[in-house]
Structures are given as C-alpha cells and as structure tokens.
Amino acid sequence: ANTVSLRDARLRAGLTQAQLAGALGISSATLSRAESGSGSLTTDRLSRAAKALGVPVDEQIGEHTSELQSPCN
C-alpha cells in the first residue's frame, strides 16, 4: 500500500500542527512526537486524523502509527 507520513498528509491538507492537534483533542507536542516517530497515536486518534486529513488509515498499521495510506487518484 502507498503510505504517506502523518506530517505530509497534514501539510497536504493545509493544517498546522495546532489545528490538527486541536481536532484530535491532543497537544501539539503529542502530535509533533507522533509525526517524528518518537511517539504514537492511539488507533482511535489515528483514525480520526485520517478522516480529518481525507486519507484512509493503512490496514497494516502495526508499529507504523505515523503512516497513512495515500488516497487513490
């Protein structure tokens, strides 16, 4: 599956960390750690992030909680 990083998906959607973090009910610092790979998001929050960013959540999430599937063009 094509994957895109959480950060890249957020930038494509034109959202700041603060905007996406607010939509997910987490701090910007938590989102920053998830984007850099030093932290992770719960499956629920990752799913909400994917919806907010307009991309499907990767089926193979496992440890790769900072990766989302690229939308099919």
Side-chain angles (χ1 to χ4, degrees):
N2 288 337
T3 58
V4 62
S5 73
L6 180 57
R7 178 180 182 274
D8 287 345
R10 175 181 58 75
L11 292 174
R12 276 190 209 162
L15 297 175
T16 65
Q17 278 188 337
Q19 288 170 320
L20 182 56
L24 300 178
I26 60 176
S27 70
S28 294
T30 298
L31 180 59
S32 179
R33 285 192 297 274
E35 287 186 350
S36 71
S38 64
S40 62
L41 298 177
T42 63
T43 304
D44 176 61
R45 286 211 170 104
L46 189 62
S47 175
R48 286 165 51 196
K51 274 188 191 154
L53 298 170
V55 294
V57 178
D58 190 345
E59 301 282 359
Q60 306 287 319
I61 265 177
E63 294 84 13
H64 306 296
T65 55
S66 64
E67 290 184 347
L68 304 168
Q69 278 186 346
S70 242
C72 297
N73 295 338

